[in-house]
Coordinates of all heavy atoms in Angstrom, one line a residue:
Chain B
L11 N 63.6 -71.3 42.3 CA 63.8 -72.2 41.2 C 65.0 -71.7 40.4 O 65.1 -70.6 40.0 CB 62.6 -72.3 40.3 CG 62.7 -73.2 39.1 CD1 63.0 -74.7 39.5 CD2 61.5 -73.2 38.2
I12 N 66.0 -72.6 40.3 CA 67.1 -72.4 39.4 C 67.0 -73.4 38.3 O 66.9 -74.6 38.5 CB 68.5 -72.6 40.1 CG1 68.5 -71.6 41.3 CG2 69.6 -72.4 39.2 CD1 69.8 -71.8 42.2
T13 N 67.1 -72.9 37.0 CA 66.9 -73.8 35.9 C 67.9 -73.4 34.8 O 68.7 -72.5 35.0 CB 65.5 -73.8 35.4 OG1 65.3 -74.8 34.4 CG2 65.2 -72.5 34.7
V14 N 67.9 -74.1 33.7 CA 68.8 -73.8 32.6 C 68.0 -73.3 31.4 O 66.8 -73.6 31.2 CB 69.6 -75.0 32.2 CG1 70.6 -75.4 33.4 CG2 68.8 -76.2 31.8
T15 N 68.6 -72.6 30.5 CA 68.0 -72.1 29.3 C 67.3 -73.2 28.5 O 67.9 -74.3 28.3 CB 69.0 -71.4 28.4 OG1 69.6 -70.3 29.2 CG2 68.4 -70.9 27.1
G16 N 66.1 -73.0 28.1 CA 65.3 -73.9 27.3 C 64.5 -75.0 28.0 O 63.8 -75.7 27.3
K17 N 64.7 -75.1 29.3 CA 64.0 -76.2 30.0 C 62.6 -75.7 30.5 O 62.6 -74.9 31.4 CB 64.8 -76.7 31.1 CG 64.2 -77.9 31.8 CD 65.1 -78.4 32.9 CE 64.6 -79.7 33.6 NZ 65.4 -80.2 34.7
K18 N 61.6 -76.2 29.9 CA 60.2 -75.7 30.2 C 59.9 -75.8 31.7 O 60.3 -76.8 32.4 CB 59.2 -76.6 29.4 CG 57.8 -76.2 29.7 CD 56.8 -77.0 28.9 CE 55.4 -76.6 29.2 NZ 54.4 -77.5 28.4
L19 N 59.3 -74.8 32.2 CA 58.9 -74.8 33.6 C 57.5 -74.2 33.8 O 57.1 -73.4 33.0 CB 59.9 -74.1 34.5 CG 60.1 -72.6 34.3 CD1 59.2 -71.8 35.2 CD2 61.6 -72.2 34.5
T20 N 56.9 -74.5 34.9 CA 55.6 -74.0 35.3 C 55.7 -73.5 36.7 O 56.1 -74.2 37.6 CB 54.5 -75.0 35.2 OG1 54.4 -75.4 33.8 CG2 53.1 -74.4 35.6
V21 N 55.2 -72.3 37.0 CA 55.0 -71.8 38.3 C 53.5 -71.8 38.6 O 52.8 -71.2 37.9 CB 55.6 -70.4 38.5 CG1 55.5 -69.9 39.9 CG2 57.1 -70.3 38.0
T22 N 53.2 -72.5 39.7 CA 51.8 -72.5 40.0 C 51.3 -71.4 40.9 O 52.1 -70.8 41.7 CB 51.4 -73.9 40.7 OG1 52.1 -73.9 41.9 CG2 51.8 -75.0 39.8
C23 N 50.1 -71.0 40.8 CA 49.5 -70.0 41.6 C 48.1 -70.5 42.0 O 47.3 -70.9 41.1 CB 49.4 -68.7 40.9 SG 48.5 -67.4 41.8
S24 N 47.7 -70.4 43.2 CA 46.4 -70.8 43.6 C 45.9 -69.8 44.7 O 46.6 -69.4 45.6 CB 46.4 -72.2 44.2 OG 45.1 -72.6 44.6
Q25 N 44.6 -69.5 44.6 CA 43.9 -68.6 45.6 C 42.7 -69.3 46.1 O 42.0 -70.0 45.4 CB 43.7 -67.2 45.0 CG 42.9 -67.2 43.7 CD 41.4 -67.1 43.8 OE1 40.8 -66.9 44.9 NE2 40.7 -67.1 42.6
N26 N 42.4 -69.0 47.4 CA 41.2 -69.7 48.0 C 40.2 -68.7 48.4 O 39.4 -68.9 49.3 CB 41.7 -70.5 49.3 CG 42.3 -69.5 50.3 OD1 42.4 -68.3 50.2 ND2 42.8 -70.1 51.4
M27 N 40.1 -67.6 47.7 CA 39.2 -66.5 48.0 C 38.0 -66.4 47.0 O 37.3 -65.4 47.0 CB 39.9 -65.2 48.1 CG 40.9 -65.2 49.3 SD 42.0 -63.8 49.3 CE 43.3 -64.4 48.1
N28 N 38.0 -67.3 46.0 CA 37.0 -67.3 45.0 C 37.0 -66.0 44.1 O 36.0 -65.5 43.6 CB 35.6 -67.5 45.5 CG 34.6 -68.0 44.5 OD1 34.9 -68.8 43.6 ND2 33.4 -67.5 44.6
H29 N 38.2 -65.5 43.9 CA 38.4 -64.3 43.2 C 38.3 -64.6 41.7 O 38.8 -65.6 41.2 CB 39.8 -63.7 43.5 CG 39.8 -63.0 44.8 ND1 41.0 -62.6 45.4 CD2 38.8 -62.7 45.7 CE1 40.8 -62.0 46.6 NE2 39.4 -62.1 46.8
E30 N 37.6 -63.6 41.0 CA 37.6 -63.8 39.5 C 38.9 -63.4 38.8 O 39.3 -63.9 37.9 CB 36.5 -62.9 38.9 CG 35.0 -63.3 39.3 CD 34.5 -62.6 40.5 OE1 35.3 -62.0 41.2 OE2 33.3 -62.7 40.7
Y31 N 39.5 -62.3 39.4 CA 40.6 -61.7 38.7 C 41.9 -62.2 39.2 O 42.1 -62.2 40.5 CB 40.5 -60.2 38.8 CG 41.6 -59.4 38.1 CD1 41.3 -58.9 36.8 CD2 42.8 -59.1 38.7 CE1 42.3 -58.1 36.2 CE2 43.8 -58.4 38.1 CZ 43.5 -57.9 36.8 OH 44.5 -57.1 36.2
M32 N 42.8 -62.7 38.4 CA 44.2 -63.1 38.8 C 45.2 -62.5 37.8 O 44.8 -62.3 36.6 CB 44.3 -64.6 38.8 CG 43.3 -65.2 39.9 SD 43.5 -67.0 40.0 CE 45.1 -67.1 40.9
S33 N 46.4 -62.3 38.2 CA 47.4 -61.8 37.4 C 48.8 -62.2 37.8 O 49.0 -62.6 38.9 CB 47.3 -60.2 37.3 OG 47.5 -59.7 38.6
W34 N 49.7 -62.1 36.9 CA 51.1 -62.3 37.1 C 51.9 -61.1 36.9 O 51.7 -60.4 35.9 CB 51.6 -63.5 36.2 CG 51.4 -64.8 36.7 CD1 50.4 -65.7 36.3 CD2 52.1 -65.5 37.7 NE1 50.5 -66.9 37.0 CE2 51.5 -66.8 37.9 CE3 53.2 -65.2 38.5 CZ2 52.0 -67.7 38.8 CZ3 53.7 -66.1 39.5 CH2 53.1 -67.4 39.6
Y35 N 52.9 -60.8 37.8 CA 53.8 -59.7 37.6 C 55.2 -60.3 37.8 O 55.5 -61.3 38.4 CB 53.6 -58.7 38.8 CG 52.3 -58.0 38.8 CD1 51.2 -58.6 39.4 CD2 52.1 -56.8 38.2 CE1 50.0 -57.9 39.5 CE2 50.9 -56.1 38.2 CZ 49.8 -56.7 38.9 OH 48.6 -56.1 38.9
R36 N 56.1 -59.5 37.2 CA 57.5 -59.8 37.4 C 58.1 -58.5 38.0 O 57.7 -57.4 37.7 CB 58.3 -60.2 36.2 CG 58.4 -59.2 35.0 CD 59.2 -59.8 33.9 NE 60.7 -59.7 34.2 CZ 61.6 -60.3 33.5 NH1 61.3 -60.9 32.3 NH2 62.9 -60.2 33.8
Q37 N 59.1 -58.7 38.9 CA 59.7 -57.5 39.6 C 61.2 -57.6 39.3 O 61.9 -58.6 39.6 CB 59.4 -57.6 41.1 CG 60.0 -56.3 41.8 CD 59.8 -56.4 43.3 OE1 59.5 -57.4 43.9 NE2 60.0 -55.3 44.0
D38 N 61.7 -56.5 38.8 CA 63.1 -56.4 38.5 C 63.6 -55.1 39.1 O 62.9 -54.1 39.1 CB 63.3 -56.4 37.0 CG 62.8 -57.6 36.3 OD1 63.4 -58.7 36.5 OD2 61.8 -57.5 35.6
P39 N 64.8 -55.1 39.6 CA 65.4 -53.9 40.3 C 65.3 -52.6 39.4 O 65.7 -52.6 38.2 CB 66.9 -54.2 40.5 CG 66.9 -55.7 40.6 CD 65.8 -56.2 39.6
G40 N 64.8 -51.6 40.0 CA 64.6 -50.3 39.2 C 63.5 -50.2 38.3 O 63.2 -49.2 37.7
L41 N 62.8 -51.3 38.1 CA 61.6 -51.3 37.2 C 60.3 -51.5 37.8 O 59.2 -51.5 37.2 CB 61.8 -52.4 36.1 CG 63.1 -52.3 35.2 CD1 63.2 -53.4 34.2 CD2 63.0 -51.0 34.4
G42 N 60.3 -51.8 39.1 CA 59.0 -52.0 39.8 C 58.4 -53.3 39.4 O 59.1 -54.3 39.0
L43 N 57.1 -53.4 39.5 CA 56.4 -54.6 39.1 C 55.7 -54.3 37.7 O 55.1 -53.3 37.5 CB 55.3 -54.9 40.1 CG 55.7 -55.7 41.3 CD1 56.3 -54.7 42.4 CD2 54.6 -56.5 41.9
R44 N 55.9 -55.3 36.9 CA 55.3 -55.2 35.5 C 54.4 -56.4 35.3 O 54.8 -57.5 35.6 CB 56.4 -55.1 34.5 CG 57.2 -53.8 34.5 CD 58.3 -53.8 33.5 NE 59.3 -54.9 33.8 CZ 60.2 -55.3 32.9 NH1 60.3 -54.7 31.7 NH2 61.1 -56.2 33.3
Q45 N 53.2 -56.1 34.8 CA 52.2 -57.2 34.6 C 52.6 -58.0 33.4 O 52.8 -57.5 32.3 CB 50.8 -56.6 34.5 CG 49.7 -57.6 34.6 CD 48.4 -57.0 34.5 OE1 48.1 -56.2 33.6 NE2 47.5 -57.3 35.5
I46 N 52.5 -59.3 33.5 CA 52.8 -60.2 32.4 C 51.5 -60.6 31.7 O 51.4 -60.5 30.5 CB 53.5 -61.5 33.0 CG1 54.8 -61.1 33.7 CG2 53.9 -62.4 31.8 CD1 55.4 -62.2 34.5
Y47 N 50.6 -61.2 32.5 CA 49.3 -61.7 32.0 C 48.3 -61.5 33.1 O 48.6 -61.4 34.3 CB 49.3 -63.1 31.6 CG 49.7 -63.4 30.2 CD1 51.0 -63.7 29.8 CD2 48.7 -63.4 29.2 CE1 51.3 -64.0 28.5 CE2 49.0 -63.7 27.8 CZ 50.3 -64.0 27.5 OH 50.7 -64.3 26.2

Side-chain angles (χ1 to χ4, degrees):
Chain B
L11 179 60
I12 301 175
T13 188
V14 295
T15 299
K17 186 176 182 182
K18 180 180 179 179
L19 65 92
T20 300
V21 183
T22 65
C23 173
S24 183
Q25 50 94 4
N26 62 1
M27 295 168 279
N28 202 36
H29 286 169
E30 291 95 344
Y31 183 94
M32 298 184 73
S33 59
W34 276 102
Y35 296 87
R36 62 177 288 173
Q37 184 182 17
D38 302 288
L41 297 178
L43 279 83
R44 294 177 293 167
Q45 191 177 53
I46 302 170
Y47 269 95

